[in-house]
Amino acid sequence: MNFERIREKLNILADAAKYDVSCSSSGSKRKNTTKGLGDSSGMGICHSYTEDGRCISLLKILLTNHCIFDCAYCVSRKSNDIKRAGFKIQEVVDLTINFYRRNYIEGLFLSSGIFSSPDYTMERLIAVAKKLRLEENFNGYIHLKSIPGCSDELMREAGLYADRLSINIEIPTVSGLKLLAPEKDHKDFIKPIEKVKNEIIQYQADKKLIKNTPVYAPAGQSTQMIVGATGESDKDIMYSAVHYYSTYKMKRVYYSGYVPVLHDERLPALGTEVPMLRENRLYQTDWLLRFYGFDVRELLNNQHPNLDIDIDPKLSWALRNMNLFPVDVNKADKRMLARIPGLGMLSVNKILNARKYRRLNWENLKAIGIAMNRAKYFIVCDSKDWEHKDLEPAHIKSMILQSSQSKYQKMYNKQLRLFN
Ligand code: SF4
């Protein structure tokens, strides 16, 4: 093996893969039943993220950054003058096994530029996973990218060896995709997603009847959307995410702020990166939709098409709906408790449990661990030492921002001084 060449390929192809954030390794239950290598259930997989939120727990590489397509937003586009490289199938297998044995990684995240054809590329991705499973007896986590436009048969095979499959929608709207990747057809993304969804349902149903039915993509499928490459609002992005969650049973939708690395008139100028906070606000919204019972239309609509940057989406919603507050924490149902700013679901469950035994006051709520600097404006309890004073939403917002440790406090204070 030429180690220098492998190192060079690794540099190029790991760097090219860093723009893909859809690599969470949660949700798989693949067991090591054959005394093989790895175990993707529980301890075998850890979640590790770089400071900017990108996952590093897996060997995350492209099979190649050669590509026959020319998507404007992609660093691997064929017209981009960059160093190209490609791994052989056996090289990826060897790297994965060697890194796993050294405890560097917990699994493999393998994507690829499209070379020759979607089917040819997908076949080679599957070949890596198949070799790892069948020849190396590798039971660690494998996340394969699905290649847009590949055949149903290959998608069926991929799910037999991968824990998770994902296909990146990339641009949240059909019109945006047409503008930036005119060679691509939206249907080529949807077809494999639909196929994987149906196979998951089918294999799960078969498993109930026939015990030794193999597992199919046990960690489900995910997708990624690029934020800020085109002019989509947060509403466009989140409505699209909701569509993928509900129609295709996605495990996760990831949001990746566009990083301008290429000059193209269709794209934002170099040096105008999407603020990391916009990504964070989208993830917070996603969380509220999946775990807090919010409907996307409550958080984003025609009157409010973009998320506030200086406050989180739940606080923003509450300030627009002050008629629903204050909430009595000793009486409110779970749904309404979950809507109080400063209360996570853990605190909500603690409140529900604690109030079986006594009426709760501020001291009890503090002991439960709720963020009082936000919550106190929205609740009443068995205490009189804070009275809701019909404060205006703007006033509440300014007091919360001033009392919080937020890094935006400085920015906000500066704005206030302008009006003194
Ligand atoms: S097909 Fe994929 S790898 Fe190729 S240019 Fe488009 S986004 Fe990049």
Side-chain angles (χ1 to χ4, degrees):
M1 194 188 275
N2 181 340
F3 290 107
E4 268 318 300
R5 181 60 190 140
I6 295 287
R7 190 193 299 269
E8 193 188 0
K9 286 187 194 182
L10 198 52
N11 277 340
I12 296 169
L13 296 170
D15 191 63
K18 75 183 177 195
Y19 299 99
D20 197 325
V21 298
S22 61
C23 56
S24 163
S25 54
S26 59
S28 180
K29 292 195 178 81
R30 186 181 298 276
K31 294 259 191 262
N32 186 346
T33 52
T34 53
K35 297 199 166 55
L37 272 176
D39 185 342
S40 75
S41 63
M43 291 195 34
I45 293 295
C46 65
H47 299 259
S48 206
Y49 294 89
T50 57
E51 232 176 38
D52 62 0
R54 293 188 165 89
C55 178
I56 55 163
S57 60
L58 312 171
L59 171 60
K60 183 176 169 182
I61 48 172
L62 300 189
L63 190 57
T64 178
N65 64 344
H66 288 281
C67 192
I68 55 174
F69 285 87
D70 203 36
C71 309
Y73 46 82
C74 179
V75 73
S76 301
R77 64 193 275 190
K78 72 175 174 203
S79 62
N80 196 20
D81 185 17
I82 49 165
K83 266 194 175 174
R84 305 276 173 177
F87 279 120
K88 292 179 185 145
I89 290 165
Q90 192 59 45
E91 287 172 341
V92 179
V93 171
D94 291 344
L95 274 176
T96 307
I97 295 299
N98 286 335
F99 281 14
Y100 192 88
R101 287 205 170 112
R102 288 182 163 85
N103 239 357
Y104 295 165
I105 56 157
E106 306 293 337
L108 171 68
F109 173 90
L110 187 60
S111 182
S112 183
I114 303 176
F115 54 104
S116 189
S117 72
D119 274 356
Y120 183 70
T121 310
M122 195 69 218
E123 272 167 21
R124 295 176 73 78
L125 294 178
I126 294 169
V128 171
K130 202 168 172 176
K131 260 182 178 276
L132 281 167
R133 296 287 190 229
L134 302 185
E135 293 177 20
E136 302 292 339
N137 213 0
F138 179 73
N139 290 291
Y141 185 86
I142 298 179
H143 180 158
L144 289 187
K145 299 306 291 188
S146 313
I147 302 298
C150 77
S151 71
D152 280 0
E153 188 42 47
L154 288 171
M155 286 319 300
R156 198 192 63 78
E157 198 182 0
L160 295 174
Y161 303 108
D163 293 278
R164 173 164 286 184
L165 293 167
S166 64
I167 191 160
N168 288 351
I169 293 301
E170 304 291 19
I171 302 299
T173 59
V174 177
S175 55
L177 186 72
K178 264 205 179 101
L179 177 74
L180 299 182
E183 304 156 292
K184 279 185 170 169
D185 189 337
H186 184 66
K187 287 194 210 99
D188 290 340
F189 292 88
I190 298 304
K191 203 169 123 272
I193 290 175
E194 182 96 55
K195 176 70 181 167
V196 170
K197 182 195 93 174
N198 291 337
E199 289 293 338
I200 290 172
I201 293 170
Q202 186 62 51
Y203 272 85
Q204 284 172 348
D206 289 353
K207 185 91 185 161
K208 285 183 190 151
L209 300 173
I210 308 161
K211 223 176 152 219
N212 62 356
T213 301
V215 286
Y216 181 91
Q221 61 177 334
S222 59
T223 191
Q224 167 182 288
M225 285 189 242
I226 296 176
V227 176
T230 42
E232 285 88 5
S233 63
D234 293 339
K235 172 178 168 260
D236 296 329
I237 293 163
M238 290 313 306
Y239 278 45
S240 180
V242 166
H243 170 72
Y244 287 105
Y245 276 125
S246 60
T247 311
Y248 302 109
K249 311 283 173 250
M250 286 282 165
K251 269 274 162 63
R252 286 296 306 273
V253 175
Y254 294 89
Y255 311 93
S256 174
Y258 175 66
V259 183
V261 285
L262 305 161
H263 173 71
D264 187 305
E265 277 171 7
R266 293 166 293 175
L267 288 164
L270 295 175
T272 56
E273 288 191 15
V274 172
M276 185 57 71
L277 200 61
R278 184 173 179 202
E279 254 184 51
N280 292 349
R281 296 293 182 230
L282 290 168
Y283 278 113
Q284 286 172 328
T285 306
D286 184 289
W287 205 255
L288 291 178
L289 300 178
R290 290 191 298 134
F291 302 113
Y292 284 71
F294 278 88
D295 184 293
V296 69
R297 289 165 296 189
E298 296 177 278
L299 301 169
L300 289 159
N301 46 51
N302 289 341
Q303 288 73 45
H304 190 70
N306 286 302
L307 298 164
D308 290 324
I309 287 294
D310 54 354
I311 52 172
D312 68 76
K314 184 155 69 157
L315 176 57
S316 172
W317 171 83
L319 291 172
R320 295 195 304 275
N321 290 277
M322 288 305 288
N323 58 313
L324 301 175
F325 296 99
V327 166
D328 186 341
V329 290
N330 285 302
K331 290 186 187 150
D333 63 11
K334 186 172 183 175
R335 177 183 165 278
M336 202 56 215
L337 288 174
R339 288 168 174 249
I340 300 171
L343 265 73
M345 286 314 291
L346 199 62
S347 303
V348 168
N349 289 329
K350 281 184 185 170
I351 287 173
L352 289 170
N353 193 38
R355 76 185 192 188
K356 285 182 198 157
Y357 306 102
R358 56 168 303 163
R359 286 182 58 77
L360 304 177
N361 58 29
W362 293 128
E363 288 313 311
N364 304 136
L365 294 173
K366 270 185 216 157
I368 280 172
I370 72 172
M372 293 300 287
N373 69 323
R374 270 174 290 162
K376 67 180 180 183
Y377 301 101
F378 302 94
I379 55 181
V380 286
C381 61
D382 211 26
S383 300
K384 293 268 180 277
D385 56 340
W386 166 264
E387 283 177 23
H388 190 75
K389 299 226 175 52
D390 292 331
L391 297 167
E392 287 298 314
H395 194 183
I396 295 176
K397 178 176 167 179
S398 90
M399 289 201 290
I400 290 175
L401 281 173
Q402 298 214 43
S403 68
S404 75
Q405 299 301 310
S406 163
K407 56 186 163 177
Y408 301 97
Q409 186 186 337
K410 272 192 211 136
M411 187 177 86
Y412 194 78
N413 286 345
K414 216 187 266 173
Q415 284 174 354
L416 283 181
R417 275 202 301 277
L418 288 175
F419 297 100
N420 282 341

